Amino acid sequence: MIGKPGTYVRILVIEDDKAVSDFICKGLDELGYNVDAALDGKEGLFLATSEKYDALIVDRMLPNVDGLTIVQTLRASDHSVPVLFLSALGEVDDRVRGLEAGGDDYLTKPFAFSELKARIEALLRRGQPTDAPVTKLNVGDMEMDLLSRSVTRAGREIELQPREFRLLEYLMRHAGQVVTRTMLLEHVWDYHFDPQTNVIDVHISRLRAKIDKGFDTPLLETVRGAGYRLA
């Protein structure tokens, strides 16, 4: 993992230009970061306030809620997550407004990915928490090790495919909560639309067979008409 070897780093990209968003997400994903994307300001603000991220990349001009408002709202709520503004507005006054709104850095478009990478790494070093990062998730007698990418239940190792691991990880991070199909499509498959396939049902069925079959207490339940929940 880039930044600090062995750590789990989450980055949120809030950018309404899908081509730019895909370009950034692909590059960061290849570097080993865990990346979420929002294509408008309202969704971005919701994710930024409801999820835990190590850094945000925020476009200035966004539909519904603009980038300045997003960061100002976060700072007013004492969110200290490092923020890199990304914008075509590159005048001195524009950069000053971004920093005064609570941004930690400001990068103008067009940009080289190598510079974006360097700036994100600098923000991550600056915002490195003193507490040890979370490397294990636990739900009941099931444990997920994020470093070794392994899962055990009651001491028994469970072999998962990469997509199944990512699906289970998302469910474990939201244990006890109902997770909708839309949430899974966006955060596990990176779809911002419903492809009208049974891909979720197939993966849930496979995952349930692996983590529940042969154990006394089932953990993964279907909430009819709502989604799924890891109890």
Side-chain angles (χ1 to χ4, degrees), residues 8-136:
Y8 178 88
V9 181
R10 298 186 71 198
I11 297 176
L12 174 62
V13 178
I14 310 176
E15 166 63 65
D16 64 321
D17 186 323
K18 193 172 187 307
V20 174
S21 177
D22 289 347
F23 169 72
I24 295 172
C25 291
K26 183 175 183 295
L28 293 175
D29 183 69
E30 289 174 349
L31 290 172
Y33 293 110
N34 188 278
V35 188
D36 288 337
L39 295 175
D40 67 73
K42 184 178 180 180
E43 180 189 13
L45 181 57
F46 172 77
L47 288 174
T49 53
S50 61
E51 301 277 352
K52 172 67 175 176
Y53 292 101
D54 298 284
L56 307 183
I57 298 174
V58 182
D59 186 20
R60 275 280 306 269
M61 296 182 290
L62 294 164
N64 298 322
V65 181
D66 67 86
L68 290 180
T69 300
I70 289 175
V71 177
Q72 288 169 337
T73 302
L74 290 173
R75 298 308 186 225
S77 303
D78 292 327
H79 280 266
S80 58
V81 59
V83 175
L84 169 63
F85 270 117
L86 191 64
S87 179
L89 303 174
E91 298 297 325
V92 172
D93 287 346
D94 296 319
R95 298 197 297 273
V96 169
R97 288 190 64 194
L99 296 175
E100 288 181 341
D104 297 278
D105 200 354
Y106 198 105
L107 181 62
T108 57
K109 301 177 182 178
F111 60 90
F113 183 78
S114 58
E115 183 176 6
L116 175 71
K117 170 180 174 291
R119 288 174 182 251
I120 283 294
E121 290 176 351
L123 286 184
L124 291 171
R125 287 194 299 270
R126 192 184 313 167
Q128 188 68 38
T130 55
D131 296 334
V134 174
T135 60
K136 291 184 179 180

Side-chain angles (χ1 to χ4, degrees), residues 188-201:
V188 179
W189 277 269
D190 297 321
Y191 290 160
H192 292 277
F193 63 96
D194 189 344
Q196 299 297 318
T197 71
N198 65 342
V199 62
I200 291 180
D201 303 307

Side-chain angles (χ1 to χ4, degrees), residues 146-157:
L146 297 169
L147 300 184
S148 64
R149 309 294 286 179
S150 62
V151 176
T152 58
R153 182 171 182 191
R156 185 194 307 175
E157 186 171 356

